[in-house]
Amino acid sequence: MSARGLDAGITGWNRVSTKLVGVRLIGAVIGALVGVLVGAAVLALTGGFWIGWAVIGVTAVVTAVDLVLTRRSVLAIGWVLRDDDLVVRRGLLLSRLVAVPYGRMQLIDVNRGPVARLLGLAELRLVTAAASSDVTLPGLPEQVAVELRDALVARAEERRVGL
Amino acid sequence: MTLPAPPAAGRYVDGQWHRLHPATPVLRGGIWLLAVVLWLGANLRERIIGWVFNVREVGSDPLDELGRYHLFGFAALGVLVVVLIAVGLFWLSWRASTFRIDQEAVTVRNGLLLRTTRTAKLDRIQGVTISRPLLARVLGAARVDLEAAGQNANVRLEYLTSAAAEDLRRDVLQLASGSRRRQPDDEGEGGPTTPELAILAEDGPRIVRVTPARAVGAVLLSNTTVLLVLVVAAVIVLNVVLDSGAPIAPAAPIAAVSVFPFIVASVTVSARRIGRNLRYSVVATPDGVRIASGLVSTRTEAVPPGRVHALRIEQPLLWRAAGWWRVSVNRAGHEAGRQNQQVEQSLAPVATLAEVLTLVPHLVPDLADQEALLTAGLEGRGDGEDFTAAPRRARWLRPVAWRRTGFRVAGGSLLSRGGFLRRELVVVPQARMQSVSLGQGLVERALDVASVHPHVVHGPVRTRLRLIDRRRAEQLFEELALAGAAARAADVSHRWAERGGAR
């Protein structure tokens, strides 16, 4: 919370599960492995061509930054149900706050990635008629995701409006 | 039709199935089929006659040969059969295409083997376009596109007679507007003979009219032209420089040849733009504004107020001396397949300030009688007319344009002003906003500013507001989130005529 990002004076943020840190870390490690393998393959096939080292170096830097920021960026995610809209907050370096009115929601998806499913997490995705408002809320425990979806659908039904 | 006509109904709004213009199959592509058959016949007639009648040596003129073998009758019969089959197929496909309009929806049935039925709710219709390709115009037919929100969601009625298309457009718009009363139809059957005359003569004042001089001038004063002049000048200079001194100068002709395609392309594009601008007019009717444009294929497009999700008024630098502006809008139903056609998307490709000030209230009714505000938004800078200007510290992000950057919430709309060389004013009616976001990047954080982005349906107008003081931005975000909900609750402008005072 605090002064780290924007919050527009909104209080009562719900945080997402910290298990999402695990999902992200596994993703980062897989990415790192792929990068190192590609680099090593280049080195082996070309006999020490510098691009191989470059790939490995870039992978190392990206992974390191990822590992440092993952926890904080997961903690930066928040959502809150207000009277008329759902507000979702995301982002550490580039922070973003989106308010989606219930009546504007056209579609609500619940997605589960393979790693997230192992840890019992799901991602909620909202679509309105505007492509730019595409909102995703990752790292919800499956039960919470389903309940939140049902709550949103119910409220959307109540307040449906024209375009 | 023995049914009693419903009170609001026009000729086609009766819930019955209607057929399309009899020439429809020909216009839809049958003409090409005919052309191919005729071409084959002309080229292969010796072969065909020889094969059909088992005649070996077909001489120079096959008709003479037919006469010699007394086969005229059979030949005529054969031709007749082919024609009958073609007509029969055309007739079947014509029979298979029907449409129905009732108080709630338009339904179109199509297809002989693969039957499709498409239904569009009338209150979701965003605009009606009547277009008349050249061939259709010759036969007095017109195509009607009912544009609904969503990808590829147009309902296309092709083809109707021109007069029927006009009636249909009026009826559908009136139904869609929630108006349940039929306007007295003073035209009758003896109305204007050409649709162009009808469009120009009918319903209310023309509020934007592009004169030929302006149509040409607007295109000549565009970036394309400037680039063209620069390129040609560069080639000439290159030629002169290289010709004068150097012993061998192959570079100059090569340069000339290499820019030739560019020159041709820009001239073509410019000519097409001029063509679109010519005969461009916007008519204010009780149902919304109607746009007519084009010389070869006339499009008549209706834009109801309250369907406008975002509006931009902009002025390229070269137009400033002439005082011209371009008006573009985002509206649902125009997402698919139109993204690259900027001219199509500009609602008024070139208009004077007075015309813009008249036009805007027809598109955003909340901004009626706000000329001072609009003018300040178009031409002002700083804090005039209660605009909230960008703070001085934000100049690092927009060294030139920051002085013009500013916003104001007025009359249920959000106005965003910007651009120093290329001035623009963006208007977002709050009732149309889908959602709103508040964002801040690293540099913005260092300068303690943020951006607010009202999300609207896709279109040419970008609605992000930048360089707002962070506290003010948080406040605005909150205001928009709340006001959006309130405005939506009060909003009936998607069925605008029900408010009583239809404008």
Side-chain angles (χ1 to χ4, degrees), chain B residues 103-161:
Chain B
Q103 301 288 323
E104 298 297 325
V106 181
T107 311
V108 179
R109 287 196 301 208
N110 254 326
L112 207 53
L113 296 176
L114 186 74
R115 298 197 58 94
T116 59
T117 303
R118 169 170 272 194
T119 305
K121 292 269 292 171
L122 280 177
D123 65 353
R124 291 283 152 176
I125 282 177
Q126 308 275 323
V128 182
T129 301
I130 299 178
S131 43
R132 298 181 185 84
L134 201 56
L135 190 62
R137 188 195 296 217
V138 170
L139 294 173
R143 180 170 68 212
V144 182
D145 279 298
L146 305 173
E147 288 149 15
Q151 298 276 326
N152 256 332
N154 283 7
V155 175
R156 174 167 281 193
L157 297 170
E158 59 182 0
Y159 287 83
L160 299 169
T161 61

Side-chain angles (χ1 to χ4, degrees), chain B residues 159-201:
Chain B
Y159 287 83
L160 299 169
T161 61
S162 287
E166 295 291 327
D167 285 354
L168 195 105
R169 175 182 55 70
R170 196 167 50 231
D171 290 341
V172 165
L173 269 177
Q174 266 166 14
L175 284 178
S177 73
S179 156
R180 294 287 181 232
R181 64 207 137 72
R182 172 127 172 89
Q183 300 257 322
D185 190 355
D186 44 25
E187 312 281 352
E189 294 301 315
T193 46
T194 71
E196 283 83 1
L197 270 182
I199 292 160
L200 296 182

Side-chain angles (χ1 to χ4, degrees), chain A residues 15-74:
Chain A
R15 286 210 180 142
V16 300
S17 165
T18 45
K19 285 184 194 162
L20 182 61
V21 179
V23 177
R24 296 261 169 103
L25 287 180
I26 290 172
V29 168
I30 291 173
L33 282 179
V34 170
V36 169
L37 279 179
V38 168
V42 170
L43 285 179
L45 290 176
T46 60
F49 189 40
W50 63 270
I51 284 185
W53 289 113
V55 169
I56 292 177
V58 168
T59 305
V61 171
V62 168
T63 309
V65 172
D66 237 22
L67 293 181
V68 171
L69 292 183
T70 299
R71 188 175 169 75
R72 290 178 60 198
S73 79
V74 166

Side-chain angles (χ1 to χ4, degrees), chain A:
Chain A
M1 314 293 110
S2 76
R4 194 174 49 226
L6 302 166
D7 61 9
I10 298 168
T11 51
W13 293 102
N14 298 290
R15 286 210 180 142
V16 300
S17 165
T18 45
K19 285 184 194 162
L20 182 61
V21 179
V23 177
R24 296 261 169 103
L25 287 180
I26 290 172
V29 168
I30 291 173
L33 282 179
V34 170
V36 169
L37 279 179
V38 168
V42 170
L43 285 179
L45 290 176
T46 60
F49 189 40
W50 63 270
I51 284 185
W53 289 113
V55 169
I56 292 177
V58 168
T59 305
V61 171
V62 168
T63 309
V65 172
D66 237 22
L67 293 181
V68 171
L69 292 183
T70 299
R71 188 175 169 75
R72 290 178 60 198
S73 79
V74 166
L75 288 178
I77 301 174
W79 57 274
V80 54
L81 286 173
R82 302 196 303 173
D83 287 345
D84 289 305
D85 52 11
L86 166 74
V87 184
V88 173
R89 187 182 64 174
R90 293 194 68 174
L92 198 60
L93 302 179
L94 201 98
S95 55
R96 185 168 184 254
L97 217 65
V98 190
V100 189
Y102 301 125
R104 291 298 197 204
M105 294 172 187
Q106 308 268 347
L107 280 179
I108 303 170
D109 289 341
V110 176
N111 301 322
R112 294 176 188 84
V115 180
R117 190 161 42 199
L118 281 181
L119 294 171
L121 295 184
E123 178 187 88
L124 203 72
R125 186 164 157 268
L126 305 176
V127 179
T128 71
S132 44
S133 61
D134 176 55
V135 176
T136 56
L137 184 54
L140 297 171
E142 279 182 25
Q143 189 58 34
V144 175
V146 171
E147 280 169 18
L148 183 56
R149 181 196 57 197
D150 294 344
L152 291 175
V153 169
R155 295 188 189 202
E157 274 307 315
E158 265 169 43
R159 294 157 220 235
R160 180 155 313 284
V161 286
L163 279 178

Side-chain angles (χ1 to χ4, degrees), chain B residues 77-318:
Chain B
L77 201 65
V79 170
L80 193 67
V81 166
V82 169
V83 167
L84 278 181
I85 289 175
V87 168
L89 284 176
F90 283 176
W91 185 74
L92 279 178
S93 105
W94 174 70
R95 290 256 315 178
S97 306
T98 50
F99 68 97
R100 179 177 69 183
I101 301 173
D102 55 29
Q103 301 288 323
E104 298 297 325
V106 181
T107 311
V108 179
R109 287 196 301 208
N110 254 326
L112 207 53
L113 296 176
L114 186 74
R115 298 197 58 94
T116 59
T117 303
R118 169 170 272 194
T119 305
K121 292 269 292 171
L122 280 177
D123 65 353
R124 291 283 152 176
I125 282 177
Q126 308 275 323
V128 182
T129 301
I130 299 178
S131 43
R132 298 181 185 84
L134 201 56
L135 190 62
R137 188 195 296 217
V138 170
L139 294 173
R143 180 170 68 212
V144 182
D145 279 298
L146 305 173
E147 288 149 15
Q151 298 276 326
N152 256 332
N154 283 7
V155 175
R156 174 167 281 193
L157 297 170
E158 59 182 0
Y159 287 83
L160 299 169
T161 61
S162 287
E166 295 291 327
D167 285 354
L168 195 105
R169 175 182 55 70
R170 196 167 50 231
D171 290 341
V172 165
L173 269 177
Q174 266 166 14
L175 284 178
S177 73
S179 156
R180 294 287 181 232
R181 64 207 137 72
R182 172 127 172 89
Q183 300 257 322
D185 190 355
D186 44 25
E187 312 281 352
E189 294 301 315
T193 46
T194 71
E196 283 83 1
L197 270 182
I199 292 160
L200 296 182
E202 222 181 17
D203 301 331
R206 261 196 285 175
I207 52 177
V208 177
R209 183 199 303 195
V210 178
T211 59
R214 208 198 299 163
V216 175
V219 174
L220 291 185
L221 288 177
S222 70
N223 294 342
T224 318
T225 318
V226 173
L227 199 62
L228 185 66
V229 169
L230 286 179
V231 165
V232 170
V235 168
I236 291 173
V237 168
L238 205 64
N239 266 302
V240 171
V241 169
L242 293 181
D243 261 8
S244 58
I248 304 162
I254 289 173
V257 169
S258 64
V259 299
F260 190 68
F262 168 75
I263 294 174
V264 171
S266 21
V267 169
T268 317
V269 168
S270 300
R272 195 179 304 146
R273 284 194 191 145
I274 292 176
R276 290 234 183 89
N277 289 357
L278 283 171
R279 308 227 0 218
Y280 196 100
S281 71
V282 180
V283 177
T285 73
D287 295 324
V289 299
R290 190 174 62 219
I291 303 159
S293 67
L295 273 180
V296 181
S297 178
T298 47
R299 298 170 62 83
T300 308
E301 207 169 350
V303 185
R307 300 292 201 207
V308 175
H309 287 232
L311 173 138
R312 179 182 62 207
I313 310 162
E314 63 178 329
Q315 180 176 59
L317 181 61
L318 291 173

Side-chain angles (χ1 to χ4, degrees), chain A residues 82 92 95 97 99 101 104 130 133, chain B residues 431 433 435-438 440 478:
Chain A
R82 302 196 303 173
L92 198 60
S95 55
L97 217 65
R104 291 298 197 204
S133 61
Chain B
M433 274 185 334
S435 54
V436 57
S437 78
L438 170 70
Q440 191 180 47
E478 202 50 27

